[in-house]
Each structure stands twice: as structure tokens, then as C-alpha cells.
Amino acid sequence: MPTASTTSATSALAPIPSLPSPEWSTVSRIAIQECHERLLPMSLAPSPIMVFPAYQRLGIPGAIPECFVREGVYLALLAAARSLPEGINLLVLDGWRPWRVQQYLFDTLHEAIKHRHPNATEDELLNRTREFVSLPSRDPCAPSPHLTGGAVDVTLCNADGIPLDMGTLFDEAIPASHTDHFEQLIELTPVQQHARDNRRLLYHAMHQQGFTNLPSEWWHFDFGDQLWAHYGEHSTACYGPAELDTIENRWRRQIG
């Protein structure tokens, strides 16, 4: 897996590059060579990582009270967190996501957009929904990123756990949530400039450890999955669909 050195103060404030939205048909054709890394709970991680399982706290049906990620993602997140300036922590909001949660998020956003734009075609609704929530898929050749344990949603917080201002809230489905939004503005207020700098710090800390970013979501980063292969220009992905190592799953494997 790719690694990199600690983020320098200069590169941490460099502009965030503008990237196109993914062509999902292209992403889904990227081959997966599963490496069989286990899922680890981020609550095991020491400071400067904090964990807040946002969907479980919001009462989303099927959401779990933990943020699981693949072992390679776990180590890369630790490295990214340790590269941050003193007093700033990495706050993990979501990682591996049960399919039921992915379906709920997709359906909920789709219906909200349809309610706001009743004359939109189904293709238009699908495209606008996929801007912020990927299509629910357990297909071993084209899984939803969060179902692999390679996608993670993160933000920055201070030493007391208070999230820093990133310009929008986590999961706000609006244009301002696009990672490069503040890079496109000619004039910024002091508040916008502060949010832009926070986004830059997060983006570069993650990028230096091998993560790629989904351009429409400043909080979403990928490592090892098909989106990571797409934006990182890797020939293959190494994470396919993953399941938690529950007692039930263990028994199913063990009993002949």
C-alpha cells in the first residue's frame, strides 16, 4: 500500500486540485484483486484519532455503533492523524457500511431530490443522487465503496473533540460540499477562508498517506477500493465487499 512522509506546513495549505466526478461505469470495470485484509474498529486507535459513528447516532436503520475499516486503512488513518498540527485531531465519522444503510441513504436522498424537483427525469434523479450517495451494490465486481471497508468519512476536530468549520456539515448534499468549492471562489470572507484552509489541511494530510478524495464530498476518502484505483491511477483495486467477523459468520465457515 502507498505511504508518504509527514505533511509539511507549506503543502498542507496548497490549493486542492479540481477533479471531475467519477464515471461510475468506468470505475465498476476496474478489476479487484482481493487482499483479504480484516476489518478493524477505529475505536482501537489512540489519539490523535477520535471516533463518532455518525449514522448510528443519527438513528439510521441498520447503522452500527462503530467505524470499521480495513487494516491498511486503519494504519493510513493513523499516519494521517499523526501528521496534523498539534492540537488538531482526525475525527472518523463512518467507514464500513452495511448494505441496508447504503440502501436507506440512497433511497432517502433520491426521494428528497424527487420531492424538490418533481419534473426531473429518472436519469436526472439518479445522477443527482449518485453525486452524494453511491448506488447500493453488493456485486463482488462492483461493490459500493463503503461496503468494502476502504472508504472512510472523516473531518478535523480540536483536542476537545469539537469539529472544525469545513464550510458545510458532514453529508450536506449541496454544491458547497464539493471539495474544491472554496477554491473556485474569487473572493472569500474570513470565515470562508478559514473553512477553505481546514479543507486543505484535511485533504493534504489524507492525500500524503495514499488516500484519494471523492470530488463531490470533502469528507469522503478512499484507500484500496475501486474509487481509489480510479483516482490514484492504479491498475487494480485490492478491496472488494467485506463482512464483519461476527460469531454467526465464524460458525458458518467452521461448520461443514
Side-chain angles (χ1 to χ4, degrees):
M1 283 295 186
T3 60
S5 59
T6 301
T7 307
S8 69
T10 302
S11 63
L13 292 180
I16 296 171
S18 296
L19 297 174
S21 299
E23 287 287 343
W24 288 104
S25 60
T26 300
V27 174
S28 65
R29 290 196 297 269
I30 296 174
I32 301 172
Q33 295 182 354
E34 177 60 58
C35 66
H36 301 290
E37 281 183 4
R38 57 185 171 171
L39 290 167
L40 293 178
M42 286 306 305
S43 61
L44 290 176
S47 177
I49 283 185
M50 295 185 175
V51 181
F52 183 82
Y55 292 130
Q56 190 268 341
R57 301 296 175 87
L58 288 169
I60 301 299
I64 57 176
E66 179 58 272
C67 294
F68 286 91
V69 296
R70 296 289 191 122
E71 187 169 355
V73 179
Y74 180 99
L75 295 173
L77 285 172
L78 270 176
R82 287 167 176 161
S83 76
L84 293 169
E86 185 175 356
I88 297 180
N89 292 351
L90 190 67
L91 180 59
V92 181
L93 302 169
D94 190 39
W96 176 83
R97 187 181 294 168
W99 183 85
R100 179 186 176 190
V101 175
Q102 187 70 28
Q103 185 71 63
Y104 176 89
L105 294 173
F106 186 90
D107 290 346
T108 301
L109 181 56
H110 184 276
E111 286 305 309
I113 296 172
K114 185 176 181 178
H115 178 76
R116 189 68 179 269
H117 302 279
N119 296 323
T121 66
E122 187 55 40
D123 284 345
E124 290 171 340
L125 291 172
L126 179 61
N127 288 335
R128 293 199 61 173
T129 303
R130 294 186 75 170
E131 183 179 356
F132 294 101
V133 180
S134 64
L135 193 68
S137 172
R138 288 179 284 197
D139 184 344
C141 295
S144 304
H146 276 283
L147 270 67
T148 70
V152 62
D153 295 332
V154 294
T155 188
L156 300 175
C157 65
N158 65 19
D160 294 323
I162 299 175
L164 302 189
D165 180 15
M166 308 299 282
T168 71
L169 298 176
F170 164 60
D171 254 3
E172 277 199 83
I174 57 177
S177 289
H178 286 224
T179 311
D180 68 349
H181 172 74
F182 294 114
E183 308 292 350
Q184 305 303 314
L185 302 182
I186 298 175
E187 294 185 5
L188 281 74
T189 67
V191 171
Q192 290 174 325
Q193 183 173 344
H194 184 61
R196 181 203 63 188
D197 290 348
N198 287 337
R199 287 193 189 188
R200 288 180 177 183
L201 180 59
L202 175 62
Y203 176 89
H204 291 296
M206 297 291 284
H207 186 261
Q208 287 292 319
Q209 301 307 324
F211 287 93
T212 60
N213 170 253
L214 181 62
S216 58
E217 300 179 352
W218 58 259
W219 57 84
H220 179 110
F221 292 86
D222 295 278
F223 193 94
D225 60 15
Q226 288 174 310
L227 269 179
W228 166 83
H230 175 72
Y231 283 112
E233 299 182 348
H234 304 285
S235 59
T236 60
C238 52
Y239 298 150
E243 289 187 357
L244 293 182
D245 190 20
T246 63
I247 288 295
E248 181 182 3
N249 289 336
R250 288 186 190 181
W251 285 343
R252 284 177 176 175
R253 292 195 303 266
Q254 293 165 358
I255 296 175

